[in-house]
Amino acid sequence: MSPLGLPFFRKASTDSHNTITSQESSSSTSLVLSTPRTELPLSPSQSSLHTTAGTVDSIPYSGRISPTAYNQLGFGKVVADGGYLSVHTLGVLNGKQLDASTNVIRTDTTQRLTELRQAMKQEPEPLEYYIVPSEDAHQSEYVAAPDKRREFITGFTGSQGTAVISHSEALLFVDSRYYSQADKQLDQNWKIRKVGSPGQDGRDWVQWLSDRPKGIIVGVDSRLIAHVAVSRHRGPGLHAVTGWNATPTEARHAIAIADYRRSGQERNSLIVTPETASQLTTALQANGSRLKFPRLNLIDVIWKNRPPKPFGQIYIHEEKYAGKPANEKIDAIRAWIKQQKPHPSYRSQSSNSPNKVAMSNTPTATIIASLPNVAWTLNLRGSDLPFTPVFHAYLFVSLAAAVLFVDRKKVPSEVERYLKDMNVVLRDYGDVFTFLRTGGWGAGRVLIEPKTPYVISLMLSSPRYILAPAYCDEMKALKTEVEIQGFRDAYLRDGAAMVRWLAWLDEKMAKGEPVSEWGASQKLTEYKRLNEAFVGLAYENISATGPNGAIPHYTPTRTNALLIDHRTPYVIDSGGQYFDGTCDTTRTIHYGDPTDEQMEAYTKVLKGHIALDSVIFPEGTTGAQLDVLARKALWKDGMNYLHSSGHGVGSFLNVHEGPHGFSNHVPLQPGHVITNEPGYYKDGEWGVRLESAMVVRKVQTKFGGESWLGFERFTQVPIQTKMIKPDMLTKDEKKWLRLHNQNVRLALTPCLMEDKRALKWLKRETTREGPAPTVPTGVQGRSLKVEWD
C-alpha cells in the first residue's frame, strides 16, 4: 500500500474560549483548540469531526496539548499521543456504533443483512444460505477495496474469515488468530464460529453446512472460492495449530503434493479437508442439497457506494532487482508443461482413435490466476491491492503463446512494448472466461493449480483441465542471489528506520508523554517513508500494548488505540515493501519494570527464536520438523502459541509466501526466505513475540558428509535485554544474543551517523548490560545487569 501522505499544516489561529470550533475552507477543515492555542489540521474527509455526533478520528498536529485540556471538551475525549491527537466521541455515525466500554467501533449490519436476505429470496431458485468468502477472484490474501465483501457484510476487518448467512442467522467462521478481534468487532446480528476450538463450534464452514437439513440450496460467487484447498490439521505429535489454515500459496502447493506425491512426501503429512468448491459440492450432494452460483454477486447487488475498481499503472520490475529475465521464466514454465504426463483417467469423448486421445489428453498450457505469480513471471508490478505490489490479471501460457488478460488502461506504452518484445499478447481482462470456455488455445489440456478460482474450472469443464502443483510458487520461492542481496539491503534500511523510531519512542516514554498504539504506528511509517526504494507497508502495522498484545493480528485504529503503558510489553510488528525486498520484523519492548511472569515468557520466546536461528539441519528437512525447536522452552511449562512459527516471504511481493513454512512438510531449500517468529499470549492481558527474517543457505560442518543447511539472518534490529532472565539462558544462548546485538550495532551505525539520538539509543541497547528501565519520573524502575560471558 502506498505510504501515507505528509501531514498538512496551516497557520495556527486562536480563540478566546476553551472550546473546539470548526473552520471550513475549500481545501481543509481545521480543528482549533484554544488551549494551548494550537490549530489541528483535518483533511476534507474529516470535516464532520465537530459537526456530527459520534465521529471518531485522529489527526496529526504540531505542538503539545496540555493535559489540563483533555477534559475541557464537552462532547468527547481528546488524547494527545506523540505528535497525534486522538478525538473520541460517543454515538453512532454512518452506521457505525462506538462501544464505550471497549472503545471499539462496530458496524450496524441490520439493514445490510435484511437486503441480502431479500436478494437471496429473489433468485430464480431462492437460496437458503449464502457464502461470503474473504478472497477476491484471484484468491488473494489482501484484496482491493471493492472486493472487501465479507468486511462489508460483517464489519469484521480481519484478513481471513468466511461468512455464512441464512434467513434466520448470520455466522462468521474464523481461526484462532481472529477469535478476539471478531468478538470485539461483530455486532449483535452475528455469531462467531471459532474454527479449531473444541466441540461443535470448532467445525469449519463446509462441515457446518453439510449438517444442515436436506435439500437446501447454497449460493456462492464461483470466482471467490478455490477449486480445492487444504488445512494444516495434524496429529498431536507435532503441535496444536488446528484451525490455523494454510496461506493461499502454501495450500496451492501442499494439496498438490498430497494428491500427486511428486515430492516423495507421505500423503498423511497433510489432511485434505473439505473447504472449497469441489469438496463443498460433494458434501452438499451427499445430503441431497445443491451449490448454486448466482449470475451476480449478491453483496455487489446490495452494496451502495461500492468503491471503484483500482486503475493504477503497471510498471516494469527491473532485472537488477528481479535477478532473472521474464522470458527465462516463461521458458521454464513451458519446459515444466512438457514434463507433465497425460491424466491417466481421461478418455476422449469425441473419438476412439488412440492418437486423438493422446492429443486431447496431453497438457499443452497452464493458466495462472495468482496475482503474485503473474507479476513474478513477467517481472511486472502494480498497485491494485493494498500492501502487495500486484495488478489484476490472468496469464495464460501455452507451448506456443502467452496471453495476458488485463485492463489495458493500466498498461502504459513502455510496458506494452516490453510485453510485445517477449511475444506476450494483450487481451482485455474480461475476455479470459470466453477464451477458456471456447478453447481459444486449441488442442490439449490446461494445467491448473488447486487454489485456482472455481469459475475457471467451470469454464474449462473437467475434460479440459488437469490439477497440478503450483509450479510458479516453487520457482518464485527459490530466490536468486540478486534477490538475496536485495533482502540484505532492504532489511538494513528498514532496520535503520525502526531504530530511529525506537529512539524517538523511548524518549517520549521516558518523558511521560502519552503515545498511543496508533500514534506510534503512524510515526514508524513516517520514518520508513524516508528510506530509499520504499514503496509502502507490507501489511498494517501491528502496534499493540497491554491486552491488545495478546491478539496476534491486532491492528490499532484511530478509534480503538490504547496508550502505550509502562506495565505491560509493547509489541511492534511492522513490514515494508521496497523495490529490492519485502520486510517483516517484530520486536517486543518494555518501558517499565517487567514482572517475573513477563520476563519468563519473553525469555522462553527468545530461547525458541535462538534455537530456530541457530539450527543446522540436513537437506530434505521440512519446516514442520524444525517447528518444535521454537516451542520447546514454552512446552516445558505447558505454554504455547496457536500460529505458525514462520512463513515464506516474497521479493517485493506477498509478505506471506509459500510453499514452505514452519507448519508444513515442504522441504526447505537454499534460497527459501522464511521468518522466525515464536510468541506467547496471555489472553486479555499482554503478549510477546520476536520475529526476524532468514534465508536458507548451505553450510560447512565439522565432519562434512551430506549437504547441510542453516539460516542467514536478514533482520537488523536489536533485541531488548530488559525482559530477559539471564539464569534461564545457556552460555551459548547468551553468546548468540551478545553477538546478535553487536552485529546489529556494527551494521546500522554507518546508517545513523546524522541521528545522534538513534546512535545513543542503539549503543545503549546493544551493550552487554541491559539498560535501566525507561520510565517517567516518579515511577519505580529496576536496573538489570547481565554477565553474558
Side-chain angles (χ1 to χ4, degrees):
M1 186 174 68
S2 297
L4 299 173
L6 287 170
F8 170 75
F9 295 106
R10 296 174 59 200
K11 183 178 179 181
S13 62
T14 61
D15 189 1
S16 59
H17 303 287
N18 291 331
T19 60
I20 288 182
T21 61
S22 177
Q23 297 180 345
E24 297 186 8
S25 69
S26 60
S27 60
S28 68
T29 298
S30 301
L31 188 67
V32 182
L33 179 61
S34 62
T35 304
R37 301 182 178 230
T38 301
E39 184 175 76
L40 310 172
L42 289 171
S43 68
S45 64
Q46 297 169 319
S47 61
S48 63
L49 179 60
H50 175 68
T51 58
T52 305
T55 308
V56 184
D57 221 326
S58 300
I59 61 275
Y61 79 101
S62 58
R64 295 184 58 187
I65 301 297
S66 169
T68 59
Y70 291 173
N71 298 318
Q72 294 176 347
L73 309 171
F75 68 90
K77 176 184 178 184
V78 173
V79 178
D81 58 85
Y84 290 85
L85 179 75
S86 297
V87 180
H88 301 264
T89 65
L90 304 179
V92 178
L93 172 69
N94 297 331
K96 293 184 180 293
Q97 304 169 341
L98 178 64
D99 187 331
S101 63
T102 61
N103 202 32
V104 173
I105 283 188
R106 302 176 188 267
T107 299
D108 184 354
T109 62
T110 304
Q111 183 62 30
R112 298 174 186 183
L113 287 170
T114 299
E115 293 177 0
L116 175 60
R117 287 164 176 150
Q118 186 63 31
M120 291 164 61
K121 292 178 182 178
Q122 293 175 350
E123 281 295 297
E125 291 185 276
L127 306 175
E128 279 83 12
Y129 293 88
Y130 191 68
I131 304 166
V132 186
S134 300
E135 291 77 14
D136 62 9
H138 301 269
Q139 297 296 293
S140 303
E141 178 182 11
Y142 298 110
V143 300
D147 292 322
K148 293 184 177 181
R149 300 177 177 91
R150 192 230 56 228
E151 180 178 330
F152 169 81
I153 197 63
T154 65
F156 170 67
T157 61
S159 60
Q160 295 295 316
T162 301
V164 178
I165 299 96
S166 73
H167 293 286
S168 60
E169 60 183 342
L171 306 175
L172 178 67
F173 293 79
V174 293
D175 63 49
S176 61
R177 295 170 294 172
Y178 300 105
Y179 290 171
S180 297
Q181 183 177 348
D183 279 331
K184 290 181 178 180
Q185 290 187 327
L186 295 181
D187 72 356
Q188 73 282 356
N189 293 302
W190 289 87
K191 297 178 182 178
I192 303 170
R193 290 286 176 168
K194 299 181 178 181
V195 179
S197 62
Q200 291 293 305
D201 284 348
R203 294 175 297 172
D204 63 36
W205 59 272
V206 176
Q207 294 167 334
W208 186 86
L209 277 172
S210 65
D211 288 341
R212 297 309 93 198
K214 294 183 178 181
I216 63 171
I217 299 178
V218 179
V220 68
D221 186 334
S222 61
R223 299 171 302 166
L224 308 186
I225 53 174
H227 179 94
V228 67
V230 64
S231 273
R232 292 196 206 129
H233 298 290
R234 308 184 179 285
L238 188 58
H239 54 77
V241 290
T242 55
W244 199 93
N245 294 333
T247 60
T249 46
E250 288 171 337
R252 278 193 287 271
H253 184 85
I255 183 64
I257 291 177
D259 280 350
Y260 291 91
R261 305 183 186 181
R262 296 189 180 185
S263 70
Q265 300 300 312
E266 292 295 327
R267 186 179 178 87
N268 63 7
S269 65
L270 289 158
I271 301 175
V272 179
T273 58
E275 290 192 343
T276 40
S278 58
Q279 298 100 324
L280 179 58
T281 299
T282 301
L284 291 176
Q285 287 176 347
N287 196 30
S289 301
R290 287 186 293 151
L291 185 62
K292 293 286 292 183
F293 306 110
R295 187 175 63 87
L296 298 175
N297 185 294
L298 299 190
I299 300 297
D300 295 351
V301 171
I302 68 168
W303 192 349
K304 301 176 180 64
N305 301 317
R306 183 179 170 218
K309 294 180 180 180
F311 281 102
Q313 293 291 286
I314 298 171
Y315 55 94
I316 299 170
H317 185 51
E318 298 179 61
E319 194 175 325
K320 68 178 182 180
Y321 300 125
K324 183 184 294 185
N327 54 7
E328 286 187 16
K329 299 177 183 180
I330 294 174
D331 289 343
I333 292 172
R334 286 174 174 150
W336 171 74
I337 294 171
K338 291 178 181 178
Q339 294 171 0
Q340 305 310 298
K341 296 180 180 179
H343 198 283
S345 64
Y346 175 73
R347 293 292 182 271
S348 172
Q349 300 178 1
S350 60
S351 171
N352 292 323
S353 166
N355 291 333
K356 285 193 175 183
V357 170
M359 181 183 299
S360 299
N361 194 26
T362 300
T364 60
T366 187
I367 182 155
I368 303 171
S370 160
L371 301 185
N373 287 349
V374 172
W376 176 85
T377 300
L378 297 176
N379 285 349
L380 295 175
R381 297 295 188 268
S383 58
D384 284 354
L385 300 191
F387 311 119
T388 308
V390 296
F391 51 94
H392 289 123
Y394 297 93
L395 178 62
F396 188 89
V397 179
S398 72
L399 298 178
V403 184
L404 180 65
F405 297 90
V406 65
D407 191 319
R408 296 194 182 211
K409 295 178 183 178
K410 302 176 183 178
V411 185
S413 57
E414 63 269 22
V415 173
E416 189 170 359
R417 290 192 299 269
Y418 166 80
L419 292 170
K420 185 177 181 181
D421 289 343
M422 291 191 296
N423 296 315
V424 176
V425 177
L426 282 175
R427 291 188 59 168
D428 288 335
Y429 180 79
D431 288 349
V432 64
F433 300 120
T434 301
F435 178 84
L436 296 175
R437 188 174 62 250
T438 59
W441 66 95
R445 302 182 77 183
V446 178
L447 298 165
I448 66 169
E449 58 169 303
K451 283 286 284 186
T452 296
Y454 195 54
V455 65
I456 290 178
S457 308
L458 296 174
M459 292 296 104
L460 286 169
S461 73
S462 58
R464 294 192 297 175
Y465 69 78
I466 299 174
L467 199 64
Y471 180 62
C472 281
D473 281 352
E474 298 176 19
M475 290 199 301
K476 175 162 55 72
L478 297 174
K479 304 298 186 271
T480 66
E481 288 300 320
V482 170
E483 289 174 313
I484 290 171
Q485 184 58 49
F487 273 106
R488 294 189 187 106
D489 296 340
Y491 271 93
L492 187 64
R493 296 192 300 274
D494 198 70
M498 288 196 72
V499 166
R500 292 178 190 273
W501 169 79
L502 284 165
W504 166 85
L505 182 57
D506 186 86
E507 182 177 85
K508 293 291 183 182
M509 297 299 292
K511 293 178 179 178
E513 295 184 16
V515 182
S516 79
E517 299 161 321
W518 185 84
S521 171
Q522 297 298 306
K523 191 68 174 180
L524 176 56
T525 302
E526 289 182 11
Y527 275 110
K528 292 195 175 191
R529 189 174 54 204
L530 300 175
N531 276 338
E532 178 185 356
F534 179 77
V535 178
L537 297 175
Y539 49 91
E540 288 184 286
N541 290 333
I542 298 172
S543 172
T545 191
N548 293 333
I551 305 173
H553 277 234
Y554 166 82
T555 300
T557 68
R558 290 173 290 195
T559 64
N560 70 355
L562 298 177
L563 292 178
I564 299 172
D565 63 50
H566 297 88
R567 302 177 306 279
T568 61
Y570 169 61
V571 178
I572 180 64
D573 184 339
S574 179
Q577 291 286 8
Y578 297 86
F579 287 126
D580 47 0
T582 299
C583 297
D584 185 358
T585 301
T586 305
R587 291 293 183 263
T588 300
I589 310 293
H590 205 294
Y591 288 105
D593 197 355
T595 66
D596 284 346
E597 183 184 26
Q598 292 167 357
M599 293 174 70
E600 185 169 343
Y602 181 84
T603 307
K604 288 178 182 292
V605 168
L606 174 60
K607 287 172 74 70
H609 187 84
I610 293 172
L612 273 185
D613 183 276
S614 308
V615 65
I616 304 297
F617 52 95
E619 202 164 16
T621 301
T622 69
Q625 290 173 311
L626 299 178
D627 178 84
V628 65
L629 298 175
R631 301 174 189 268
K632 180 182 176 182
L634 291 165
W635 280 1
K636 186 177 180 180
D637 289 317
M639 303 162 74
N640 198 12
Y641 50 94
L642 298 180
H643 58 72
S644 170
S645 297
H647 54 81
V649 182
S651 177
F652 191 40
L653 280 172
N654 277 49
V655 71
H656 298 125
E657 179 180 278
H660 59 286
F662 284 122
S663 292
N664 63 40
H665 287 272
V666 176
L668 295 173
Q669 301 179 56
H672 279 167
V673 173
I674 190 168
T675 62
N676 170 7
E677 51 179 309
Y680 177 72
Y681 311 94
K682 188 174 183 182
D683 191 35
E685 296 190 35
W686 48 266
V688 296
R689 185 167 64 253
L690 293 172
E691 178 184 21
S692 297
M694 315 177 294
V695 61
V696 180
R697 307 294 274 175
K698 288 189 175 183
V699 298
Q700 294 295 321
T701 58
K702 183 176 180 179
F703 295 104
E706 308 175 52
S707 295
W708 291 84
L709 305 176
F711 295 114
E712 173 195 336
R713 186 176 56 257
F714 290 141
T715 305
Q716 300 286 356
V717 180
I719 292 175
Q720 191 186 52
T721 60
K722 178 187 294 186
M723 281 193 289
I724 296 171
K725 281 194 166 185
D727 59 346
M728 290 177 59
L729 296 182
T730 66
K731 183 177 180 180
D732 284 343
E733 288 169 339
K734 292 177 181 178
K735 179 180 178 181
W736 181 97
L737 181 59
R738 175 172 55 83
L739 290 176
H740 173 280
N741 282 350
Q742 176 181 300
N743 290 336
V744 168
R745 182 175 71 250
L746 293 174
L748 291 183
T749 295
C751 306
L752 300 170
M753 296 304 293
E754 296 180 1
D755 191 331
K756 293 181 179 180
R757 179 176 61 189
L759 279 174
K760 181 179 179 181
W761 182 92
L762 179 65
K763 182 178 180 180
R764 189 192 72 194
E765 290 293 317
T766 56
T767 53
R768 294 188 183 184
E769 290 189 353
T774 308
V775 296
T777 303
V779 178
Q780 181 66 34
R782 177 174 64 190
S783 178
L784 174 64
K785 293 186 177 181
V786 180
E787 297 296 335
W788 296 113
D789 292 329

